[in-house]
Amino acid sequence: MTMQPQPAADLKIRCDACPVACWIRPGMAGACDRYANRDGELIRVDPHVILERTLDQGGRVVAFNQRKTEWAGEIVPEEELFVTAIGAGTTYPDYKPAPFIVSAEVDGVDMVTVVTEGIFSYCGVKVKVDTDRFLGPEQAVVRAQGEAVGHVTTGEYGSQMLSLGGVHHLTGGSKKEGRVTCEALLDLSNGKPVELTIDDGSTIVVEAGKAPIINGVPEERMRVGCGSATIGIFAKQWFGKVDEVVVVDDHITGVLSEHASGKVLGIQPTGIKMRGRRSTPGRYFQVADPGTGWGGTSISDPLSILDPFDKNVAKPGMTLFMVSTTGEHSAFFRLDENLVPVETEMPEALRASTERIKENCEPALSTVLFIAGAGGSLRAGVTENPVRLTRSVKDTLTRVTCGGAPVYVWPGGGITFMVDVTRLPANAFGYVPTPALVAPIEFTLKLEDYAALGGHMDHVRPLSTLGDHESRLVPPVQGNVWPFASDGPRWGRG
Ligand code: SF4
């Protein structure tokens, strides 16, 4: 009996787009769901995204080669189209040229955009959570599905910061830690909610561009300022309406009568005595433990941060207004004959003042910045002389974008970039099970500069040759600088 050769369409094919090297059966996708075997041909499953500046936010979806038909021959100026790396595919090993090296004439200048879906083992996300509530101690481990995926890092003004991912969690722990880290990074980068637990701290749900949920409660407001700043902002509005104001804040609690703004207004001492450590007049540190109560402290009773009033200064009948930095908590007291503050109904003027504090708070959001290093082997897909690409980026001759979104390139060595994930089209990020994140990256520069840095000139193709290629035309994300804009920001040094 002789064996009949199997038709090509029935054979498994090997994907060579990443080190996993999947063998993919006909009609099936590889381990990352990005590549599939269609009738014996290896295809990138998702459409290749091309930004079209003239599209409105409705975002028609057409195959690129249908464009002329649909527009009855109307030609779109090349500068109105930007070829992103989303869905473009990856070449591996890296010495092969990037999947698309596309030339276009922009304002009479020949430009080239080199696009590839980079595979990043060195990547992570920085998450900014607008809240003063205690999420966990600095350096505490942040977990997803019980696995360590990052840590709490230094807080910023009105926000807590998390640093997630990175090569150690992706590659340096157990297999599960790497897989869960990759999954958390992918979901966060693609704008999905992720639940995180912090050792000795809170459980939070973060989602890029949405309010964080802390221990099950959505955060509404970012504080108007620290306690001292709040005193500074509102001192004049409180003058004459109350004898003393305390703005409770885990970091810097403010006391009106002692604060410089109270002194300037001529507010008299009240004999108030604060707990915690006095930093400068009217500014106190560590009045309580951090927590999820008043002003990011652990307290639910504001009087717990006061010692008895000074009998030589305080007088019965004096009034005290206590408020948190978001206006979420507030209370009004009057001193009784023993100089003990007794809570009483808040006067209308102070109620309005609490509302004014709330009004001046910005909505609390979670912000996710993806960070990755593109200064490694990925550069070989752009040029045979990789350091010239790095220099070109630093000299701002080459503009780096991520899915068409502007990025910040860190000064110093390498091409370490950060991008706000909400500035990319939907689902721009992928993964491979090595594990690593897959992120789009584009390098745009003048064609002559590309030649000078040793670019793969024999692979440069005009935009029009993408006509036989299945693409999705999408509008640029609102507010993004158009990648070809001559007046766009320069992201490198210089
Ligand atoms: S994981 Fe994805 S990219 Fe890697 S070889 Fe498999 S199908 Fe190809």
Side-chain angles (χ1 to χ4, degrees):
M1 198 172 87
T2 50
M3 293 279 289
Q4 294 296 316
Q6 273 183 286
D10 293 343
L11 292 176
K12 283 198 255 179
I13 52 174
R14 186 166 172 269
C15 175
D16 59 357
C18 94
V20 177
C22 298
W23 284 97
I24 309 176
R25 291 177 197 283
M28 305 293 283
C32 66
D33 286 333
R34 296 165 58 238
Y35 286 89
N37 178 343
R38 186 171 67 190
D39 303 327
E41 187 196 353
L42 184 70
I43 57 152
R44 179 72 178 85
V45 172
D46 309 295
H48 183 192
V49 171
I50 295 175
L51 300 181
E52 188 195 336
R53 188 150 65 154
T54 48
L55 278 184
D56 63 19
Q57 295 298 314
R60 281 171 308 117
V61 175
V62 293
F64 191 68
N65 57 0
Q66 291 169 13
R67 179 165 57 80
K68 282 185 184 171
T69 310
E70 190 173 18
W71 292 347
E74 180 188 356
I75 304 293
V76 177
E78 289 189 338
E79 60 259 40
E80 302 296 337
L81 297 173
F82 182 76
V83 180
T84 78
I86 303 167
T90 307
T91 41
Y92 185 82
D94 307 277
Y95 61 78
K96 293 184 195 163
F100 293 97
I101 304 177
V102 182
S103 62
E105 191 183 312
V106 178
D107 296 333
V109 179
D110 289 327
M111 303 292 291
V112 65
T113 301
V114 184
V115 312
T116 190
E117 289 183 299
I119 299 176
F120 294 104
S121 303
Y122 293 85
C123 73
V125 295
K126 307 294 178 204
V127 183
K128 171 172 163 283
V129 183
D130 298 338
T131 184
D132 272 349
R133 283 180 227 280
F134 178 67
L135 299 187
E138 259 176 44
Q139 304 177 21
V141 172
V142 178
R143 296 178 189 276
Q145 301 173 45
E147 294 293 324
V149 299
H151 63 272
V152 178
T153 185
T154 45
E156 300 301 339
Y157 198 92
S159 309
Q160 311 287 330
M161 305 292 289
L162 310 178
S163 182
L164 308 182
V167 70
H168 291 300
H169 289 294
L170 282 169
T171 71
S174 67
K175 202 169 174 183
K176 187 176 176 203
E177 179 178 327
R179 181 178 58 74
V180 170
T181 300
C182 187
E183 193 178 316
L185 294 180
L186 179 65
D187 286 345
L188 286 167
S189 300
N190 278 334
K192 294 183 183 152
V194 173
E195 183 176 285
L196 302 166
T197 54
I198 297 165
D199 287 3
D200 302 319
S202 305
T203 296
I204 62 172
V205 177
V206 291
E207 180 179 352
K210 300 274 169 59
I213 300 171
I214 301 163
N215 294 331
V217 181
E219 185 64 285
E220 284 182 40
R221 294 179 202 87
M222 187 177 180
R223 69 180 186 183
V224 66
C226 71
S228 170
T230 308
I231 293 274
I233 295 168
F234 293 99
K236 213 168 169 189
Q237 301 180 36
W238 291 322
F239 182 59
K241 297 182 178 118
V242 62
D243 297 311
E244 183 65 279
V245 178
V246 175
V247 181
V248 182
D249 174 19
D250 176 43
H251 307 131
I252 307 169
T253 288
V255 178
L256 178 64
S257 65
E258 299 177 4
H259 194 271
S261 14
K263 295 284 180 215
V264 170
L265 290 167
I267 291 173
Q268 295 302 303
T270 59
I272 195 166
K273 287 198 171 167
M274 300 295 300
R275 294 192 176 160
R277 180 159 69 83
R278 184 172 175 271
S279 161
T280 53
R283 300 168 73 256
Y284 290 83
F285 299 164
Q286 300 155 15
V287 295
D289 291 328
T292 55
W294 281 59
T297 70
S298 57
I299 63 165
S300 53
D301 173 13
L303 296 180
S304 63
I305 64 171
L306 303 186
D307 280 330
F309 277 71
D310 183 344
K311 290 193 175 91
N312 297 320
V313 182
K315 295 185 178 55
M318 274 178 37
T319 53
L320 166 67
F321 176 50
M322 298 186 81
V323 65
S324 66
T325 47
T326 56
E328 180 184 332
H329 298 96
S330 60
F332 179 71
F333 305 89
R334 193 178 292 279
L335 300 194
D336 67 10
E337 61 279 8
N338 297 315
L339 304 179
V340 174
V342 178
E343 186 162 5
T344 183
E345 195 183 347
M346 190 167 317
E348 187 47 42
L350 294 179
R351 201 181 302 280
S353 158
T354 306
E355 290 306 314
R356 178 70 61 85
I357 291 175
K358 288 184 185 171
E359 183 190 332
N360 277 275
C361 294
E362 293 173 72
L365 296 176
S366 301
T367 308
V368 177
L369 296 192
F370 175 77
I371 179 166
S377 58
L378 181 150
R379 294 174 298 170
V382 183
T383 164
E384 290 171 352
N385 209 342
V387 75
R388 289 202 188 161
L389 176 65
T390 310
R391 288 188 197 130
S392 174
V393 169
K394 293 290 154 67
D395 292 342
T396 67
L397 297 174
T398 295
R399 181 174 292 179
V400 185
T401 49
C402 180
V407 306
Y408 175 76
V409 178
W410 279 70
I415 306 175
T416 303
F417 70 95
M418 289 199 302
V419 63
D420 175 353
V421 301
T422 62
R423 289 180 162 247
L424 277 77
N427 291 319
F429 292 85
Y431 82 105
V432 290
T434 53
L437 264 278
V438 175
I441 186 160
E442 303 96 23
F443 299 95
T444 301
L445 63 165
K446 285 184 191 163
L447 191 60
E448 64 180 76
D449 290 339
Y450 188 53
L453 62 77
H456 301 292
M457 294 302 287
D458 48 342
H459 284 77
V460 175
R461 55 195 276 186
L463 191 58
S464 55
T465 63
L466 269 68
D468 59 352
H469 172 75
E470 202 167 296
S471 309
R472 178 181 300 227
L473 292 177
V474 303
V477 174
Q478 242 172 2
N480 279 357
V481 175
W482 182 241
F484 286 134
S486 58
D487 58 346
R490 296 297 180 198
W491 296 105
R493 185 160 42 85

